[in-house]
């Protein structure tokens, strides 16, 4: 019995403001073969964000049409907008044997866990909730209202942490990055 082939899909989830994006970009410097899935969203671009690079920015109608057509591996409503992973961002890469990283919120991560149980799920947790507030405020990209909404969702998201295979507490960036790197390298070496 050889079992299913080990997956090279890495799902990185956790609350907004926990540092998923920073950890992933540093991780990709250390492991350049990791390819990042570019998500689709109906959120408006923030200053400096580029179409097709940071996100595929879609209007609501196009997003929902593409949901209807079954083009999403997962999708979720988050803080008043839709976010989702297009199958086209993942499937070709997996078939070509390239490792892919998804940076997504918890509802989407649950969907991927259900449809792709072989995907490696990693939950990034803050050392405490107050850290998230400081990070969201410090990032300066969201209004006070939006920050308050994100923090409410974050409490629910934190309660879900035990559902995932691995948890990394982002208490200190370098330490958390080492831990994340060790998990990813160990999975990549299993699949070779
Ligand atoms: P932001 O608006 O800060 O870019 O993203 C808000 C939240 O949506 C973050 O937690 C981010 O990880 C998550 N997110 C980004 N892309 C996707 C996606 O494709 N699917 C899901 N489910 N969540 C996403």
């Amino acid at each position: 019995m050889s079992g299913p082939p080990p997956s090279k899909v890495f799902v990185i989830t956790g609350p907004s403001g926990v540092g998923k994006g920073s950890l992933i970009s540093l991780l990709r410097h250390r492991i350049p073969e990791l390819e990042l899935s570019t998500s689709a969203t109906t959120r408006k671009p923030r200053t400096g964000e580029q179409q097709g690079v940071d996100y595929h920015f879609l209007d609501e109608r196009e997003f929902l049409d593409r949901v209807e057509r079954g083009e999403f591996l997962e999708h979720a409503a988050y803080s008043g907008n839709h976010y989702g992973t297009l199958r086209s961002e993942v499937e070709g890469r997996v078939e070509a044997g390239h490792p892919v990283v998804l940076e997504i919120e918890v509802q989407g991560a649950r969907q991927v866990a259900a449809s792709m149980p072989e995907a490696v799920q990693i939950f990034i947790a803050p050392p405490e909730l107050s850290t998230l507030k400081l990070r969201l405020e410090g990032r300066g990209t969201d209004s006070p209202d939006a920050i308050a909404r994100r923090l409410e969702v974050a409490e629910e998201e934190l309660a879900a942490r035990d559902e995932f295979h691995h948890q990394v507490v982002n208490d200190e960036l370098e330490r958390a990055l080492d831990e994340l790197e060790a998990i990813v390298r160990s999975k990549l070496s299993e699949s070779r």
Side-chain angles (χ1 to χ4, degrees):
M1 286 272 294
S2 58
S7 170
K8 292 194 181 178
V9 175
F10 295 90
V11 176
I12 309 227
T13 191
S16 174
V18 78
K20 302 190 289 293
S22 313
L23 280 168
I24 291 171
S25 81
L26 293 166
L27 180 69
R28 291 180 65 228
H29 278 107
R30 292 192 182 180
I31 313 181
E33 68 181 297
L34 291 177
E35 298 186 10
L36 184 62
S37 158
T38 303
S39 295
T41 184
T42 59
R43 169 168 78 57
K44 297 277 167 286
R46 296 179 180 134
T47 310
E49 283 184 333
Q50 286 178 290
Q51 176 68 283
V53 177
D54 298 283
Y55 279 105
H56 301 292
F57 293 101
L58 305 179
D59 64 28
E60 176 146 327
R61 175 151 184 200
E62 182 172 8
F63 192 101
L64 295 176
D65 280 351
R66 295 178 81 165
V67 169
E68 276 298 299
R69 293 202 293 267
E71 291 184 26
F72 284 98
L73 178 63
E74 61 75 31
H75 62 93
Y78 174 89
S79 208
N81 291 297
H82 299 282
Y83 293 82
T85 306
L86 291 161
R87 294 182 188 283
S88 56
E89 288 285 326
V90 179
E91 288 174 353
R93 289 169 168 148
V94 168
E95 276 156 29
H98 299 158
V100 189
V101 176
L102 313 186
E103 188 222 300
I104 63 181
E105 53 67 73
V106 165
Q107 303 168 72
R110 287 192 179 118
Q111 293 169 39
V112 179
S115 66
M116 227 184 226
E118 71 282 12
V120 181
Q121 311 145 18
I122 306 169
F123 187 98
I124 311 291
E128 49 196 312
L129 207 57
S130 57
T131 320
L132 284 184
K133 183 163 187 278
L134 291 176
R135 290 213 187 120
L136 288 170
E137 287 168 353
R139 191 158 81 175
T141 50
D142 296 287
S143 66
D145 267 6
I147 291 178
R149 276 205 306 277
R150 280 166 187 255
L151 286 171
E152 274 177 35
V153 178
E155 283 198 59
E156 290 168 32
E157 291 188 310
L158 277 177
R161 57 196 285 171
D162 295 333
E163 294 174 28
F164 301 100
H165 297 143
H166 303 273
Q167 292 179 25
V168 174
V169 177
N170 191 10
D171 46 2
E172 208 245 301
L173 192 63
E174 281 292 312
R175 195 211 60 75
L177 178 61
D178 289 346
E179 192 179 338
L180 182 61
E181 182 185 8
I183 295 167
V184 171
R185 284 202 190 277
S186 112
K187 292 291 162 189
L188 287 176
S189 65
E190 275 174 24
S191 63
R192 276 194 234 279

